[in-house]
Amino acid sequence: MLLLQHHLCPLLLKTLSERSSFPLTLRGTRVVFLLLNQFSAKLPTEAEVFLILLIKLVGGEAVPGETRPGWMRVLAMEIMRGSVLPFTLPL
């Protein structure tokens, strides 16, 4: 858990916060998805930070004064859908 907290999470935050290329951002969001689904109970603070970042990406306000490409919003929405959908009740 210490490796995830001290090395992986800061690297992922940096990758998602900066203006990175599509392949790097895609891989980073896949790792965030796995982290949220498998380790959110053990890393609640990190999960909260990633969820807030994803919400800001979906809302288009990740970095004030800087616009994000549309594909970054779509990636964030896919992560949110995959993380929230298992917890929804069937109709």
Side-chain angles (χ1 to χ4, degrees):
M1 288 301 137
L2 286 175
L3 287 175
L4 292 176
Q5 284 180 320
H6 295 289
H7 294 288
L8 182 64
C9 289
L11 179 67
L12 289 172
L13 283 173
K14 181 181 174 188
T15 301
L16 295 178
S17 298
E18 292 179 349
R19 204 166 167 89
S20 301
S21 64
F22 177 75
L24 185 61
T25 305
L26 177 64
R27 287 175 179 86
T29 54
R30 285 180 181 170
V31 174
V32 168
F33 177 72
L34 291 173
L35 221 132
L36 287 174
N37 286 342
Q38 295 180 3
F39 297 105
S40 61
K42 295 178 182 174
L43 301 169
T45 305
E46 287 78 7
E48 180 182 353
V49 169
F50 283 122
L51 286 172
I52 289 171
L53 179 65
L54 291 171
I55 289 169
K56 287 184 178 184
L57 283 172
V58 169
E61 57 185 57
V63 178
E66 183 179 326
T67 58
R68 295 288 180 162
W71 54 263
M72 191 171 268
R73 285 185 73 191
V74 172
L75 285 175
M77 285 184 230
E78 285 291 322
I79 299 299
M80 296 294 289
R81 182 188 62 87
S83 297
V84 174
L85 194 59
F87 299 108
T88 58
L89 297 173
L91 296 174

Coordinates of all heavy atoms in Angstrom, one line a residue:
M1 N 0.8 -1.2 0.0 CA 0.0 0.0 0.0 C 0.9 1.3 0.0 O 0.5 2.3 -0.6 CB -0.9 0.0 1.2 CG -2.0 -1.0 1.2 SD -3.1 -0.7 -0.2 CE -3.4 -2.4 -0.7
L2 N 2.0 1.2 0.7 CA 2.9 2.4 0.7 C 3.4 2.8 -0.7 O 3.5 3.9 -1.0 CB 4.0 2.1 1.7 CG 3.7 2.2 3.2 CD1 4.9 1.8 4.0 CD2 3.2 3.5 3.6
L3 N 3.7 1.8 -1.5 CA 4.1 2.1 -2.9 C 3.0 2.8 -3.6 O 3.3 3.7 -4.4 CB 4.6 0.8 -3.6 CG 5.9 0.2 -3.1 CD1 6.1 -1.2 -3.8 CD2 7.0 1.1 -3.4
L4 N 1.8 2.3 -3.5 CA 0.7 2.9 -4.2 C 0.5 4.4 -3.7 O 0.3 5.3 -4.5 CB -0.6 2.2 -3.9 CG -0.7 0.8 -4.5 CD1 -2.0 0.1 -4.1 CD2 -0.6 0.8 -6.0
Q5 N 0.6 4.6 -2.4 CA 0.4 5.9 -1.8 C 1.5 6.9 -2.2 O 1.2 8.0 -2.5 CB 0.2 5.9 -0.3 CG -1.1 5.3 0.2 CD -1.1 5.3 1.7 OE1 -0.1 4.9 2.3 NE2 -2.2 5.6 2.2
H6 N 2.7 6.5 -2.1 CA 3.8 7.4 -2.2 C 4.4 7.5 -3.6 O 5.1 8.5 -3.9 CB 4.9 7.0 -1.2 CG 4.5 7.1 0.2 ND1 4.3 8.4 0.8 CD2 4.2 6.2 1.1 CE1 3.9 8.2 2.0 NE2 3.8 6.9 2.3
H7 N 4.2 6.5 -4.5 CA 4.8 6.6 -5.8 C 3.7 6.6 -6.9 O 3.8 7.4 -7.8 CB 5.7 5.4 -6.0 CG 6.9 5.5 -5.1 ND1 7.9 6.4 -5.2 CD2 7.2 4.7 -4.0 CE1 8.8 6.2 -4.3 NE2 8.4 5.2 -3.5
L8 N 2.8 5.7 -6.9 CA 1.9 5.5 -8.0 C 0.8 6.7 -8.0 O 0.6 7.3 -9.1 CB 1.1 4.2 -8.0 CG 0.2 4.0 -9.1 CD1 0.9 3.9 -10.4 CD2 -0.6 2.7 -8.9
C9 N 0.2 7.0 -6.9 CA -0.8 8.0 -6.9 C -0.3 9.4 -7.3 O -0.9 10.1 -8.1 CB -1.5 8.1 -5.5 SG -2.5 6.6 -5.2
P10 N 0.9 9.8 -6.8 CA 1.4 11.1 -7.3 C 1.7 11.1 -8.8 O 1.5 12.1 -9.5 CB 2.7 11.4 -6.4 CG 2.4 10.6 -5.2 CD 1.7 9.4 -5.6
L11 N 2.2 10.0 -9.3 CA 2.5 9.9 -10.7 C 1.2 10.0 -11.5 O 1.2 10.7 -12.5 CB 3.3 8.6 -11.0 CG 3.6 8.4 -12.4 CD1 4.6 9.4 -12.9 CD2 4.1 6.9 -12.6
L12 N 0.2 9.3 -11.1 CA -1.1 9.4 -11.8 C -1.7 10.8 -11.7 O -2.3 11.2 -12.7 CB -2.1 8.3 -11.2 CG -1.7 6.9 -11.5 CD1 -2.6 6.0 -10.7 CD2 -1.8 6.6 -13.0
L13 N -1.6 11.4 -10.6 CA -2.2 12.8 -10.5 C -1.4 13.7 -11.4 O -2.0 14.6 -12.1 CB -2.1 13.3 -9.0 CG -3.1 12.7 -8.1 CD1 -2.8 13.1 -6.6 CD2 -4.5 13.2 -8.5
K14 N -0.1 13.6 -11.5 CA 0.7 14.4 -12.4 C 0.3 14.1 -13.8 O 0.1 15.1 -14.6 CB 2.2 14.1 -12.2 CG 3.1 15.0 -13.0 CD 4.5 14.6 -12.8 CE 5.4 15.4 -13.7 NZ 6.8 15.0 -13.6
T15 N 0.1 12.9 -14.2 CA -0.2 12.5 -15.5 C -1.6 13.1 -15.9 O -1.7 13.6 -17.1 CB -0.2 11.0 -15.7 OG1 1.1 10.5 -15.4 CG2 -0.6 10.6 -17.1
L16 N -2.6 13.0 -15.1 CA -3.9 13.4 -15.4 C -4.0 14.9 -15.3 O -4.9 15.5 -15.9 CB -4.9 12.7 -14.5 CG -5.1 11.2 -14.7 CD1 -6.1 10.7 -13.7 CD2 -5.4 10.9 -16.1
S17 N -3.2 15.6 -14.5 CA -3.3 17.0 -14.3 C -2.6 17.8 -15.5 O -3.0 18.9 -15.8 CB -2.7 17.5 -13.0 OG -3.4 16.9 -12.0
E18 N -1.5 17.2 -16.0 CA -0.8 17.9 -17.1 C -1.5 17.6 -18.4 O -2.3 16.7 -18.6 CB 0.6 17.4 -17.1 CG 1.4 17.8 -15.9 CD 2.9 17.3 -16.0 OE1 3.2 16.4 -16.8 OE2 3.7 17.7 -15.2
R19 N -1.0 18.3 -19.4 CA -1.6 18.1 -20.7 C -0.7 17.1 -21.4 O 0.3 17.4 -22.0 CB -1.5 19.4 -21.5 CG -2.4 19.5 -22.6 CD -2.5 21.0 -23.1 NE -3.2 21.0 -24.3 CZ -4.5 21.1 -24.5 NH1 -5.2 21.2 -23.4 NH2 -5.1 21.2 -25.7
S20 N -1.1 15.8 -21.3 CA -0.3 14.7 -21.8 C -0.9 14.2 -23.1 O -2.0 14.6 -23.5 CB -0.3 13.5 -20.8 OG 0.2 14.0 -19.6
S21 N -0.2 13.3 -23.8 CA -0.7 12.7 -25.0 C -1.8 11.7 -24.7 O -2.0 11.3 -23.6 CB 0.5 12.0 -25.7 OG 0.9 11.0 -25.0
F22 N -2.6 11.4 -25.7 CA -3.7 10.5 -25.6 C -3.3 9.1 -25.0 O -3.9 8.6 -24.1 CB -4.5 10.4 -26.9 CG -5.6 9.4 -26.8 CD1 -6.8 9.7 -26.1 CD2 -5.5 8.1 -27.4 CE1 -7.8 8.8 -26.0 CE2 -6.6 7.2 -27.3 CZ -7.7 7.6 -26.6
P23 N -2.3 8.5 -25.6 CA -1.9 7.1 -25.1 C -1.5 7.1 -23.6 O -1.9 6.3 -22.8 CB -0.7 6.7 -26.0 CG -0.8 7.5 -27.2 CD -1.5 8.8 -26.8
L24 N -0.8 8.1 -23.2 CA -0.3 8.2 -21.8 C -1.5 8.5 -20.9 O -1.6 7.9 -19.8 CB 0.7 9.3 -21.6 CG 1.4 9.4 -20.3 CD1 2.1 8.2 -19.9 CD2 2.3 10.6 -20.3
T25 N -2.4 9.4 -21.3 CA -3.6 9.7 -20.5 C -4.5 8.5 -20.4 O -5.1 8.2 -19.3 CB -4.3 10.9 -21.0 OG1 -3.4 12.0 -21.1 CG2 -5.5 11.3 -20.2
L26 N -4.7 7.7 -21.5 CA -5.5 6.5 -21.5 C -5.0 5.5 -20.6 O -5.7 4.9 -19.8 CB -5.6 6.0 -22.9 CG -6.4 4.7 -23.1 CD1 -7.8 4.9 -22.8 CD2 -6.2 4.1 -24.5
R27 N -3.7 5.2 -20.6 CA -3.1 4.3 -19.6 C -3.2 4.7 -18.2 O -3.5 3.9 -17.3 CB -1.7 4.0 -20.0 CG -1.5 3.2 -21.3 CD -0.1 3.0 -21.7 NE 0.0 2.2 -22.9 CZ -0.1 2.7 -24.2 NH1 -0.3 4.0 -24.4 NH2 0.0 1.9 -25.2
G28 N -3.1 6.0 -18.0 CA -3.2 6.5 -16.6 C -4.7 6.4 -16.1 O -4.9 6.0 -15.0
T29 N -5.6 6.7 -17.0 CA -7.0 6.5 -16.5 C -7.4 5.1 -16.3 O -8.2 4.8 -15.4 CB -8.0 7.1 -17.6 OG1 -7.7 6.6 -18.8 CG2 -7.9 8.6 -17.6
R30 N -6.8 4.1 -17.1 CA -7.0 2.7 -16.8 C -6.5 2.3 -15.4 O -7.2 1.6 -14.7 CB -6.4 1.9 -17.9 CG -7.1 1.9 -19.2 CD -6.4 1.0 -20.2 NE -7.1 1.1 -21.5 CZ -6.6 0.5 -22.6 NH1 -5.4 -0.1 -22.6 NH2 -7.2 0.6 -23.7
V31 N -5.4 2.8 -15.1 CA -4.8 2.5 -13.8 C -5.6 3.1 -12.6 O -5.9 2.5 -11.6 CB -3.3 2.9 -13.7 CG1 -2.8 2.7 -12.3 CG2 -2.5 2.2 -14.7
V32 N -6.1 4.4 -12.9 CA -7.0 5.0 -11.9 C -8.3 4.2 -11.7 O -8.8 4.0 -10.6 CB -7.3 6.5 -12.3 CG1 -8.4 7.0 -11.5 CG2 -6.1 7.3 -12.2
F33 N -8.8 3.7 -12.8 CA -10.0 2.8 -12.8 C -9.8 1.6 -11.9 O -10.6 1.3 -11.0 CB -10.5 2.4 -14.2 CG -11.6 1.5 -14.2 CD1 -12.9 2.0 -13.9 CD2 -11.5 0.2 -14.6 CE1 -14.0 1.2 -14.0 CE2 -12.6 -0.7 -14.6 CZ -13.8 -0.2 -14.3
L34 N -8.7 0.9 -12.1 CA -8.3 -0.2 -11.3 C -8.1 0.1 -9.8 O -8.6 -0.6 -8.9 CB -7.1 -0.9 -11.9 CG -7.2 -1.6 -13.2 CD1 -5.9 -2.1 -13.7 CD2 -8.2 -2.8 -13.1
L35 N -7.5 1.2 -9.6 CA -7.2 1.7 -8.3 C -8.5 2.0 -7.5 O -8.7 1.6 -6.4 CB -6.4 3.0 -8.3 CG -5.3 3.1 -7.3 CD1 -4.0 3.5 -7.9 CD2 -5.6 4.0 -6.2
L36 N -9.5 2.7 -8.2 CA -10.7 3.0 -7.6 C -11.6 1.7 -7.3 O -12.2 1.6 -6.3 CB -11.5 3.9 -8.5 CG -11.1 5.4 -8.6 CD1 -11.8 6.1 -9.6 CD2 -11.1 6.0 -7.2
N37 N -11.5 0.8 -8.2 CA -12.4 -0.4 -8.1 C -11.8 -1.4 -7.1 O -12.5 -2.1 -6.4 CB -12.6 -1.1 -9.4 CG -13.6 -0.3 -10.3 OD1 -14.3 0.5 -9.8 ND2 -13.6 -0.6 -11.6
Q38 N -10.5 -1.5 -7.0 CA -9.9 -2.6 -6.2 C -9.3 -2.1 -4.8 O -9.2 -2.8 -3.9 CB -8.8 -3.3 -7.0 CG -9.3 -4.0 -8.1 CD -8.3 -4.8 -8.9 OE1 -7.1 -4.7 -8.5 NE2 -8.6 -5.4 -10.0
F39 N -8.9 -0.8 -4.8 CA -8.2 -0.3 -3.6 C -8.9 0.9 -2.9 O -8.3 1.5 -2.0 CB -6.8 0.1 -3.9 CG -6.0 -1.1 -4.4 CD1 -5.6 -1.2 -5.7 CD2 -5.5 -2.0 -3.5 CE1 -4.9 -2.3 -6.2 CE2 -4.7 -3.1 -3.9 CZ -4.4 -3.2 -5.3
S40 N -10.1 1.2 -3.3 CA -10.7 2.4 -2.7 C -11.0 2.3 -1.2 O -11.0 3.2 -0.5 CB -12.0 2.8 -3.5 OG -12.9 1.7 -3.4
A41 N -11.3 1.0 -0.8 CA -11.5 0.8 0.7 C -10.2 1.0 1.5 O -10.2 1.4 2.6 CB -12.1 -0.6 0.9
K42 N -9.1 0.6 0.9 CA -7.8 0.7 1.6 C -7.1 2.0 1.4 O -6.3 2.4 2.2 CB -6.9 -0.4 1.1 CG -7.4 -1.8 1.4 CD -6.5 -2.9 0.9 CE -7.1 -4.2 1.2 NZ -6.3 -5.3 0.6
L43 N -7.5 2.8 0.4 CA -6.9 4.1 0.1 C -8.0 5.1 -0.1 O -8.2 5.7 -1.2 CB -6.0 4.0 -1.2 CG -4.9 3.1 -1.2 CD1 -4.3 2.9 -2.6 CD2 -3.8 3.5 -0.2
P44 N -8.8 5.4 1.0 CA -9.9 6.3 0.8 C -9.6 7.7 0.4 O -10.3 8.3 -0.3 CB -10.6 6.2 2.2 CG -9.6 5.8 3.1 CD -8.6 4.9 2.4
T45 N -8.5 8.2 1.0 CA -8.1 9.6 0.7 C -7.7 9.7 -0.8 O -8.1 10.7 -1.5 CB -6.9 10.1 1.6 OG1 -7.3 9.9 2.9 CG2 -6.6 11.5 1.3
E46 N -6.9 8.8 -1.3 CA -6.5 8.8 -2.7 C -7.7 8.6 -3.6 O -7.8 9.3 -4.6 CB -5.4 7.8 -2.9 CG -4.1 8.1 -2.3 CD -4.0 7.8 -0.8 OE1 -4.9 7.2 -0.2 OE2 -2.9 8.1 -0.3
A47 N -8.6 7.8 -3.2 CA -9.8 7.5 -4.1 C -10.6 8.8 -4.1 O -11.1 9.2 -5.2 CB -10.6 6.4 -3.5
E48 N -10.7 9.5 -3.0 CA -11.5 10.8 -3.0 C -10.8 11.8 -3.9 O -11.5 12.5 -4.7 CB -11.6 11.3 -1.6 CG -12.3 12.6 -1.5 CD -12.4 13.1 -0.1 OE1 -11.9 12.5 0.9 OE2 -12.9 14.3 0.1
V49 N -9.5 11.9 -3.9 CA -8.8 12.9 -4.7 C -9.0 12.5 -6.2 O -9.2 13.4 -7.0 CB -7.2 12.9 -4.3 CG1 -6.4 13.6 -5.4 CG2 -7.0 13.4 -2.9
F50 N -8.9 11.3 -6.5 CA -9.1 10.9 -7.9 C -10.5 11.2 -8.4 O -10.7 11.6 -9.5 CB -8.7 9.4 -8.2 CG -7.2 9.2 -8.2 CD1 -6.6 8.4 -7.4 CD2 -6.4 9.9 -9.2 CE1 -5.2 8.1 -7.4 CE2 -5.1 9.7 -9.2 CZ -4.5 8.8 -8.3
L51 N -11.5 10.9 -7.5 CA -12.9 11.1 -7.9 C -13.1 12.6 -8.1 O -13.8 13.0 -9.0 CB -13.8 10.5 -6.9 CG -14.0 9.0 -6.9 CD1 -14.8 8.5 -5.7 CD2 -14.6 8.6 -8.2
I52 N -12.6 13.5 -7.2 CA -12.7 14.9 -7.4 C -12.1 15.4 -8.7 O -12.6 16.2 -9.4 CB -12.1 15.6 -6.2 CG1 -13.0 15.4 -5.0 CG2 -12.0 17.1 -6.4 CD1 -12.4 15.9 -3.6
L53 N -10.9 14.8 -9.0 CA -10.2 15.2 -10.2 C -11.0 14.8 -11.5 O -11.2 15.5 -12.4 CB -8.8 14.6 -10.3 CG -8.0 14.8 -11.6 CD1 -7.7 16.3 -11.7 CD2 -6.8 14.0 -11.6
L54 N -11.6 13.6 -11.4 CA -12.5 13.1 -12.5 C -13.7 14.0 -12.7 O -14.1 14.3 -13.8 CB -12.8 11.7 -12.3 CG -11.7 10.6 -12.5 CD1 -12.2 9.3 -12.0 CD2 -11.2 10.6 -13.9
I55 N -14.3 14.4 -11.5 CA -15.5 15.2 -11.6 C -15.1 16.6 -12.2 O -15.9 17.1 -13.1 CB -16.1 15.4 -10.2 CG1 -16.8 14.1 -9.7 CG2 -17.1 16.5 -10.2 CD1 -17.2 14.1 -8.3
K56 N -14.0 17.1 -11.9 CA -13.6 18.4 -12.4 C -13.2 18.2 -13.9 O -13.5 19.1 -14.7 CB -12.3 18.9 -11.7 CG -12.7 19.5 -10.3 CD -11.5 20.1 -9.7 CE -11.9 20.6 -8.3 NZ -10.8 21.3 -7.7
L57 N -12.7 17.1 -14.3 CA -12.4 16.9 -15.7 C -13.7 16.8 -16.5 O -13.8 17.3 -17.6 CB -11.6 15.6 -15.9 CG -10.1 15.7 -15.6 CD1 -9.5 14.3 -15.7 CD2 -9.4 16.6 -16.6
V58 N -14.7 16.1 -16.0 CA -16.0 16.0 -16.6 C -16.7 17.3 -16.7 O -17.3 17.7 -17.8 CB -16.9 15.0 -15.9 CG1 -18.4 15.0 -16.4 CG2 -16.4 13.6 -16.0
G59 N -16.6 18.1 -15.7 CA -17.1 19.5 -15.7 C -16.4 20.5 -16.5 O -16.8 21.6 -16.8
G60 N -15.2 20.1 -17.0 CA -14.4 21.0 -17.8 C -13.6 22.0 -17.0 O -13.2 23.0 -17.6
E61 N -13.4 21.8 -15.7 CA -12.7 22.8 -14.9 C -11.5 22.3 -14.2 O -11.2 22.7 -13.1 CB -13.7 23.4 -13.9 CG -14.3 22.4 -13.0 CD -15.4 23.0 -12.1 OE1 -16.3 23.5 -12.6 OE2 -15.2 22.8 -10.9
A62 N -10.8 21.4 -14.8 CA -9.6 20.8 -14.1 C -8.6 21.8 -13.8 O -8.1 21.9 -12.7 CB -9.0 19.7 -15.0
V63 N -8.2 22.7 -14.8 CA -7.2 23.7 -14.5 C -7.8 25.0 -15.0 O -8.2 25.1 -16.1 CB -5.9 23.4 -15.3 CG1 -4.9 24.6 -15.1 CG2 -5.3 22.1 -14.9
P64 N -8.0 26.0 -14.1 CA -8.6 27.2 -14.5 C -7.9 27.9 -15.6 O -6.7 28.0 -15.6 CB -8.6 28.1 -13.2 CG -8.4 27.1 -12.1 CD -7.6 26.0 -12.7
G65 N -8.6 28.4 -16.6 CA -8.0 29.1 -17.7 C -7.5 28.2 -18.8 O -7.0 28.7 -19.8
E66 N -7.5 26.9 -18.6 CA -7.0 26.0 -19.6 C -8.1 25.0 -20.1 O -8.8 24.4 -19.3 CB -5.8 25.2 -19.0 CG -5.2 24.2 -20.0 CD -4.0 23.5 -19.4 OE1 -3.4 24.0 -18.5 OE2 -3.8 22.3 -19.8
T67 N -8.3 24.9 -21.4 CA -9.3 24.0 -21.9 C -8.7 22.7 -22.1 O -7.5 22.5 -22.5 CB -9.9 24.6 -23.2 OG1 -8.8 24.7 -24.1 CG2 -10.6 25.9 -23.0
R68 N -9.5 21.6 -21.9 CA -9.0 20.3 -22.1 C -9.6 19.7 -23.4 O -10.7 20.1 -23.8 CB -9.5 19.4 -20.9 CG -8.9 19.8 -19.6 CD -7.4 19.3 -19.6 NE -6.8 19.7 -18.3 CZ -5.7 19.2 -17.9 NH1 -5.1 18.3 -18.6 NH2 -5.2 19.6 -16.8
P69 N -8.9 18.8 -24.0 CA -9.5 18.2 -25.2 C -10.8 17.4 -24.8 O -10.9 16.9 -23.7 CB -8.4 17.3 -25.7 CG -7.3 17.3 -24.8 CD -7.6 18.3 -23.7
G70 N -11.7 17.2 -25.8 CA -12.9 16.5 -25.6 C -12.7 15.1 -25.2 O -13.5 14.5 -24.4
W71 N -11.7 14.4 -25.7 CA -11.4 13.0 -25.4 C -11.1 12.8 -23.9 O -11.4 11.8 -23.4 CB -10.3 12.4 -26.3 CG -9.1 13.1 -26.3 CD1 -8.6 14.0 -27.3 CD2 -8.0 13.0 -25.4 NE1 -7.4 14.5 -27.0 CE2 -6.9 13.8 -25.9 CE3 -7.8 12.3 -24.3 CZ2 -5.7 14.0 -25.2 CZ3 -6.6 12.4 -23.6 CH2 -5.6 13.2 -24.1
M72 N -10.5 13.9 -23.3 CA -10.2 13.7 -21.9 C -11.5 13.7 -21.0 O -11.6 12.9 -20.1 CB -9.3 14.9 -21.4 CG -8.7 14.7 -20.1 SD -7.4 15.9 -19.7 CE -6.0 15.0 -20.3
R73 N -12.4 14.5 -21.4 CA -13.7 14.5 -20.7 C -14.4 13.1 -20.9 O -15.0 12.6 -20.0 CB -14.7 15.5 -21.3 CG -14.3 16.9 -20.8 CD -15.3 17.9 -21.3 NE -16.5 17.8 -20.5 CZ -17.7 18.3 -20.8 NH1 -17.8 19.1 -21.8 NH2 -18.7 18.1 -20.0
V74 N -14.3 12.5 -22.1 CA -14.9 11.2 -22.4 C -14.3 10.2 -21.5 O -14.9 9.3 -21.0 CB -14.9 10.9 -23.9 CG1 -15.3 9.5 -24.1 CG2 -15.7 11.9 -24.7
L75 N -12.9 10.2 -21.4 CA -12.2 9.2 -20.6 C -12.7 9.3 -19.1 O -12.9 8.3 -18.5 CB -10.7 9.4 -20.7 CG -10.0 8.9 -22.0 CD1 -8.6 9.3 -22.0 CD2 -10.2 7.4 -22.2
A76 N -12.8 10.5 -18.7 CA -13.2 10.7 -17.3 C -14.6 10.2 -17.1 O -14.9 9.6 -16.0 CB -13.1 12.2 -16.9
M77 N -15.5 10.5 -18.0 CA -16.9 10.0 -17.9 C -16.9 8.4 -17.9 O -17.7 7.8 -17.2 CB -17.7 10.5 -19.1 CG -18.1 11.9 -18.9 SD -19.2 12.4 -20.3 CE -18.4 13.9 -20.8
E78 N -16.1 7.8 -18.7 CA -16.0 6.3 -18.8 C -15.6 5.8 -17.4 O -16.1 4.8 -17.0 CB -15.1 5.9 -19.9 CG -15.7 6.0 -21.3 CD -16.8 5.1 -21.5 OE1 -16.8 3.9 -21.1 OE2 -17.8 5.5 -22.2
I79 N -14.6 6.4 -16.8 CA -14.1 6.0 -15.5 C -15.2 6.1 -14.5 O -15.5 5.2 -13.7 CB -12.9 6.7 -15.1 CG1 -11.7 6.5 -16.0 CG2 -12.5 6.3 -13.7 CD1 -11.3 5.1 -16.2
M80 N -15.9 7.3 -14.5 CA -17.0 7.5 -13.6 C -18.1 6.5 -13.8 O -18.7 5.9 -12.8 CB -17.6 8.9 -13.7 CG -16.6 10.0 -13.4 SD -16.1 10.0 -11.6 CE -17.6 10.6 -10.9
R81 N -18.5 6.2 -15.0 CA -19.5 5.3 -15.3 C -19.2 3.9 -14.8 O -20.0 3.2 -14.2 CB -19.8 5.2 -16.8 CG -21.0 4.2 -17.2 CD -21.1 4.1 -18.7 NE -19.9 3.5 -19.3 CZ -19.7 2.2 -19.4 NH1 -20.5 1.3 -18.9 NH2 -18.5 1.7 -20.0
G82 N -17.9 3.5 -15.1 CA -17.5 2.1 -14.7 C -17.4 2.0 -13.1 O -17.5 0.9 -12.6
S83 N -17.1 3.1 -12.5 CA -16.9 3.0 -11.0 C -18.3 3.1 -10.3 O -18.4 2.5 -9.2 CB -16.0 4.2 -10.5 OG -14.8 4.0 -11.1
V84 N -19.2 3.8 -10.9 CA -20.5 4.1 -10.2 C -21.5 3.0 -10.6 O -22.4 2.7 -9.8 CB -21.0 5.5 -10.5 CG1 -22.4 5.7 -9.9 CG2 -20.0 6.5 -9.9
L85 N -21.5 2.6 -11.8 CA -22.5 1.7 -12.3 C -22.7 0.4 -11.5 O -23.9 0.0 -11.3 CB -22.2 1.3 -13.8 CG -23.4 0.6 -14.6 CD1 -24.6 1.5 -14.6 CD2 -22.9 0.3 -15.9
P86 N -21.7 -0.2 -11.0 CA -21.9 -1.5 -10.2 C -22.7 -1.2 -8.9 O -23.2 -2.1 -8.3 CB -20.5 -1.9 -9.8 CG -19.6 -1.4 -10.9 CD -20.2 -0.1 -11.3
F87 N -22.7 0.1 -8.4 CA -23.4 0.4 -7.2 C -24.8 0.8 -7.4 O -25.5 1.1 -6.4 CB -22.6 1.4 -6.4 CG -21.3 1.0 -6.1 CD1 -20.2 1.5 -6.7 CD2 -21.1 0.0 -5.1 CE1 -18.9 1.1 -6.4 CE2 -19.8 -0.4 -4.8 CZ -18.7 0.1 -5.4
T88 N -25.3 1.0 -8.6 CA -26.7 1.4 -8.9 C -27.6 0.2 -8.7 O -27.3 -0.9 -9.0 CB -26.8 2.0 -10.3 OG1 -26.4 1.1 -11.2 CG2 -25.9 3.3 -10.4
L89 N -28.8 0.5 -8.4 CA -29.9 -0.5 -8.2 C -30.5 -0.7 -9.6 O -30.8 0.2 -10.3 CB -30.9 0.0 -7.2 CG -30.4 0.2 -5.8 CD1 -31.5 0.8 -4.9 CD2 -29.9 -1.1 -5.2
P90 N -30.9 -2.0 -9.8 CA -31.6 -2.2 -11.1 C -33.0 -1.7 -11.0 O -33.6 -1.6 -9.9 CB -31.6 -3.8 -11.2 CG -31.4 -4.3 -9.8 CD -30.6 -3.2 -9.1
L91 N -33.5 -1.3 -12.2 CA -34.9 -0.7 -12.2 C -36.0 -1.8 -12.2 O -35.9 -2.8 -12.5 CB -35.1 0.1 -13.5 CG -34.2 1.4 -13.5 CD1 -34.3 2.0 -14.9 CD2 -34.5 2.3 -12.4

